[in-house]
Amino acid sequence: TSGEIEAYARSFAAGDKSAGSGRTKANFLKPNKNCNLSSWVNGCEPGWGCKANDKVDVNSNKKEIPVRSADCKPCCEGFFCPRGITCMIPWPARALA
């Protein structure tokens, strides 16, 4: 969903500036309902994604991050699956082609 992509993008926008260096430290996604301190499904690992446990209407609630812990598999061609989020995100270069 766009909520998942927004959460991923927000992790970069909230950069942690080092004092005086002007550089941003590497950021990781904040814990979310799928990947948090108490549970971590295979889809939370880089290169993996999971199906949503329930049907998701991507047009009705664009901010929703659905529970994704079913049928975790390697990321599909044309997508990337970052660490800490269980969805597959379309690879930008592929979308522009």
Side-chain angles (χ1 to χ4, degrees):
T1 65
S2 59
E4 292 166 298
I5 294 171
E6 183 180 319
Y8 178 69
R10 197 177 305 136
S11 70
F12 294 105
D16 179 17
K17 295 270 185 179
S18 301
S21 73
R23 295 192 309 194
T24 303
K25 293 180 182 177
N27 290 317
F28 294 97
L29 287 166
K30 291 181 181 178
N32 57 66
K33 67 170 69 177
N34 296 311
C35 307
N36 57 56
L37 299 176
S38 62
S39 67
W40 192 268
V41 296
N42 287 341
C44 297
E45 293 299 324
W48 288 80
C50 301
K51 287 184 181 178
N53 294 17
D54 297 313
K55 187 173 180 169
V56 177
D57 181 1
V58 295
N59 295 316
S60 68
N61 187 350
K62 296 183 175 161
K63 299 286 183 184
E64 178 184 354
I65 296 179
V67 174
R68 291 183 183 274
S69 62
D71 197 23
C72 299
K73 294 190 177 188
C75 204
C76 294
E77 184 177 340
F79 293 82
F80 70 102
C81 300
R83 181 180 193 273
I85 193 163
T86 57
C87 70
M88 294 185 197
I89 299 173
W91 186 251
R94 187 99 168 154
L96 297 174

